[in-house]
Amino acid sequence: MSKLNGKVAVVTGGSSGLGLAMATRFAEEGAFVYITGRRQSELDKAVALIGDNAVAVQGDVQRVEDLDHLFEKIRQEKGRIDVLVANSGMVAPQILDDATEENFDKTFGVNVRGVYFTIDRALPLLQHGSSVILVSSIAANKGVPGYGTYSASKAAVRSFSRTWTAELLDRGIRVNTLSPGPFDTPIMDGQADTPDGGDAVRAKWSAAVPMKRLGRSEELAAAALFLASDESSYIAGVDLIVDGGAAAV
């Protein structure tokens, strides 16, 4: 039997990269999946790839009104959420000497505010036995020049999972963190200084991983499936690191 048969899942930031991989795997395992993102064209492509068990809802996780629209649609159509992945995030490296308010506010707006209010607004729909997965990063536990704001925002996400585990267990809601290391996704290109610099960024991060390669999106999706399914029914509050050993070695 499929591991998420009949479940209703939500993946924010599900139109590309790791979010799309997770949404696709959930649908393959029998879930009906709602994905969100800011760009309608990318959402349309993602739904075409995932198939009939997916619906896209355009919105920005920084806007509470967009979140309310998403969850009201789910309430009317399905009435519940069994799996919620708060995946929307951004990274824009900037060293302290070059700090700007815009970079700080946008990073924390998406990575922290977005996660906080995604879970807050979803609470009325989360069922007893549901699984909430917060996507953090191994950067939360490392000091990498240029990634101070990003790392701090992801540390906040990890903190949320601890607090919400304590707050929501009486409702039968499990909250866990999924922390990827370097993965081969379009976000790598966004960290390059030039249009052709993506390969250099990928080579740099590959060298930093003990396995000497970047992660594949489907590898994170497999870990997310474990946390989403009943196979992890006795797991709450953990930080599942998927990074080829980068944080441990």
Side-chain angles (χ1 to χ4, degrees):
M1 179 181 292
S2 299
K3 294 181 179 179
L4 299 181
N5 193 44
K7 303 280 190 182
V8 178
V10 180
V11 180
T12 67
S15 61
S16 65
L18 299 178
L20 176 57
M22 289 186 280
T24 301
R25 184 65 190 274
F26 289 173
E28 290 172 350
E29 292 290 338
F32 189 92
V33 185
Y34 289 85
I35 62 172
T36 70
R38 292 181 292 108
R39 295 179 293 276
Q40 188 64 53
S41 61
E42 294 300 311
L43 289 168
D44 293 341
K45 292 176 185 176
V47 169
L49 178 66
I50 297 169
D52 293 339
N53 279 349
V55 167
V57 182
Q58 184 180 25
D60 185 340
V61 294
Q62 298 177 87
R63 294 169 51 88
V64 171
E65 54 266 42
D66 287 359
L67 293 170
D68 287 341
H69 171 67
L70 165 67
F71 294 123
E72 177 60 20
K73 179 178 177 64
I74 296 171
R75 186 191 70 78
Q76 292 181 7
E77 294 179 354
K78 298 296 183 181
R80 72 181 199 278
I81 296 172
D82 302 298
V83 179
L84 173 56
V85 183
N87 170 70
S88 288
M90 63 156 288
V91 52
Q94 189 175 74
I95 63 171
L96 185 59
D97 282 337
D98 298 331
T100 64
E101 291 182 69
E102 179 183 13
N103 180 278
F104 183 95
D105 291 344
K106 186 174 182 181
T107 300
F108 270 78
V110 175
N111 294 357
V112 182
R113 175 188 170 91
V115 170
Y116 188 92
F117 284 104
T118 293
I119 308 308
D120 169 68
R121 287 308 202 259
L123 276 177
L125 294 174
L126 288 167
Q127 301 296 291
H128 189 281
S130 62
S131 172
V132 172
I133 302 169
L134 310 183
V135 179
S136 181
S137 167
I138 65 168
N141 298 310
K142 298 180 74 66
V144 181
Y147 290 80
T149 307
Y150 175 75
S151 297
S153 71
K154 290 302 187 178
V157 171
R158 176 66 185 109
S159 180
F160 284 157
S161 72
R162 293 188 178 100
T163 302
W164 293 341
T165 292
E167 289 182 353
L168 300 179
L169 274 179
D170 286 348
R171 304 190 206 183
I173 299 171
R174 296 186 297 111
V175 183
N176 290 293
T177 308
L178 187 60
S179 288
F183 273 76
D184 192 0
T185 69
I187 203 168
M188 286 286 176
D189 297 304
Q191 297 176 57
D193 294 328
T194 66
D196 298 324
D199 289 342
V201 173
R202 287 177 171 83
K204 180 188 78 171
W205 286 114
S206 295
V209 176
M211 296 178 81
K212 300 305 178 188
R213 68 171 177 86
L214 299 177
R216 299 186 297 272
S217 295
E218 61 268 24
E219 292 174 312
L220 191 78
L225 175 62
F226 170 68
L227 291 179
S229 74
D230 291 339
E231 290 187 355
S232 61
S233 59
Y234 196 53
I235 295 176
V238 306
D239 184 14
L240 179 55
I241 295 173
V242 187
D243 70 346
V249 177

